[in-house]
Amino acid sequence: MIRSMTGYGIGTVETEKFKVSIEIRSVNHRFFDLRVKLPQQLTPLEPQIKKTVQSKVSRGKIDVSITINGINEMEYEIKMNRPFIAGYIEAFHQIKNEFGLQGDLTAQGLLQLPGAMDFKVKEKIYQNEEIDAITEALQKALASLEEMRIKEGALIGEDILSRLGTMEEKRKGIAQICGSLPDVHKKNLMARIRELEPDIKLDPSRLEQEVAFMVDKCDISEEVSRLKGHFEHLETLLQNVDEVGKKLDFLMQEINREANTINSKVGNLDINRAVIDIKLEAEKIREQAQNIE
């Protein structure tokens, strides 16, 4: 079973006192990239939220958005900077007396002074009911995301299996042609010799040696066999659940390498065409692998 990296999930929990809504969006990404957008009063819960998401998703760019209504807003602790205010008042009176200035110092004026007041957000103590609601909404959103990613992954899997069938058909065609290559090489060699020296008497044993040499030089049986193994491995991977995308990407590189070797060894037009078809399908599967977790 494979999962697409693209998906969307939403989870909502509503009680008599408050409502929690969590949305999760995921798109393709080479690695795991998680971003959480949440109200400031939920900041203390962010590490646990990230840990929960990462336990369910291993790859992709993930955006988590949390909204919450009904839970008490942030509370502030306000402190006066007494030494600063006392020093300012004393300086004010000294300046007023020394220079004979008019005017009064007001509380409003003091409050507007930078540094006169210190604002500190009190850390909110969450009740079990609130934490449970946030956790439940997150689990619902993750389950919704998982369901969508699995559905899209199934469609990708069907497409890959179809392309795998095409590649295997081409591989079988190559294997079949391979069986006739010795006779083809022998016929071509004899025709070439007759063309150059029509009256020459051919030594059957020498001819067989030359044919054997050419066949050995152009032997692609190992490459064809390895292609079969790679195709079987690919089919097995589609039933896996752990980082399938990265493994598929690597496997497509191996398939492409074997196809290139076959192409370089054999000048047969039918084999060359079959190799091109295999390479095209492998490239399309590799593109699909970029969408898989």
Side-chain angles (χ1 to χ4, degrees):
M1 178 173 58
I2 62 176
R3 295 177 178 84
S4 168
M5 278 191 285
T6 302
Y8 171 80
I10 184 170
T12 302
V13 172
E14 187 170 4
T15 70
E16 295 180 355
K17 300 178 181 178
F18 56 85
K19 179 180 179 180
V20 179
S21 296
I22 299 180
E23 294 184 359
I24 305 179
R25 291 178 173 83
S26 66
V27 295
N28 301 351
H29 198 276
R30 290 185 61 191
F31 308 105
F32 178 79
D33 182 15
L34 174 61
R35 299 179 184 181
V36 179
K37 181 182 179 182
L38 71 172
Q40 189 172 353
Q41 69 264 33
L42 294 181
T43 301
L45 301 180
E46 185 174 350
Q48 183 58 43
I49 292 171
K50 286 185 174 182
K51 183 178 180 181
T52 301
V53 173
Q54 194 165 9
S55 69
K56 299 293 184 180
V57 182
S58 62
R59 190 179 177 209
K61 182 179 178 182
I62 316 298
D63 288 301
V64 179
S65 178
I66 302 176
T67 57
I68 188 164
N69 298 313
I71 291 181
N72 293 334
E73 297 295 329
M74 294 177 291
E75 297 181 6
Y76 296 92
E77 182 179 352
I78 303 175
K79 292 183 179 181
M80 291 187 298
N81 190 340
R82 294 181 182 275
F84 174 81
I85 294 174
Y88 186 88
I89 293 174
E90 182 180 352
F92 173 79
H93 288 300
Q94 287 179 357
I95 294 172
K96 185 177 179 180
N97 294 332
E98 183 174 347
F99 297 98
L101 301 176
Q102 299 297 318
D104 295 320
L105 184 62
T106 65
Q108 182 179 0
L110 286 173
L111 289 174
Q112 292 176 347
L113 293 173
M117 307 296 291
D118 182 25
F119 296 85
K120 181 180 180 181
V121 179
K122 287 185 178 180
E123 183 173 340
K124 178 173 174 56
I125 308 252
Y126 287 92
Q127 304 299 318
N128 289 336
E129 182 183 11
E130 296 171 344
I131 295 176
D132 291 344
I134 294 170
T135 301
E136 183 181 350
L138 181 59
Q139 293 296 341
K140 286 182 176 181
L142 286 170
S144 177
L145 174 71
E146 176 81 351
E147 181 180 0
M148 184 172 181
R149 283 158 63 103
I150 288 176
K151 285 182 179 179
E152 291 201 11
L155 295 176
I156 294 174
E158 290 176 4
D159 180 71
I160 292 177
L161 280 175
S162 174
R163 299 188 185 284
L164 174 60
T166 300
M167 290 196 297
E168 174 60 13
E169 181 182 345
K170 299 299 180 180
R171 187 203 65 82
K172 288 180 178 179
I174 292 173
Q176 186 175 4
I177 295 174
C178 284
S180 63
L181 284 181
D183 291 337
V184 172
H185 286 313
K186 184 175 182 179
K187 181 179 179 181
N188 291 340
L189 182 60
M190 292 180 66
R192 182 61 174 164
I193 293 174
R194 294 298 186 191
E195 180 182 343
L196 295 174
E197 297 288 345
D199 299 326
I200 192 173
K201 293 183 179 180
L202 297 177
D203 182 352
S205 61
R206 180 61 185 276
L207 179 61
E208 293 299 330
Q209 289 178 2
E210 291 298 328
V211 171
F213 174 76
M214 293 178 63
V215 170
D216 182 66
K217 184 179 179 180
C218 301
D219 182 31
I220 56 173
S221 57
E222 289 186 11
E223 288 78 7
V224 173
S225 178
R226 281 196 290 268
L227 276 181
K228 182 180 180 181
H230 290 328
F231 295 164
E232 291 173 350
H233 187 198
L234 171 57
E235 190 170 7
T236 301
L237 275 182
L238 295 179
Q239 308 302 320
N240 207 337
V241 294
D242 298 324
E243 296 187 352
V244 178
K246 291 182 179 179
K247 294 177 181 178
L248 277 178
D249 184 74
F250 176 76
L251 187 56
M252 290 308 103
Q253 293 181 49
E254 294 300 308
I255 289 175
N256 196 59
R257 185 177 293 111
E258 299 297 345
N260 285 336
T261 302
I262 292 174
N263 223 18
S264 64
K265 280 188 174 184
V266 180
N268 182 277
L269 185 58
D270 291 331
I271 290 181
N272 295 152
R273 288 173 175 170
V275 166
I276 290 174
D277 289 338
I278 289 175
K279 285 168 62 68
L280 286 174
E281 295 298 331
E283 182 59 30
K284 290 175 182 177
I285 292 176
R286 192 175 182 183
E287 291 174 2
Q288 289 283 40
Q290 307 305 313
N291 301 320
I292 299 174
E293 185 177 42

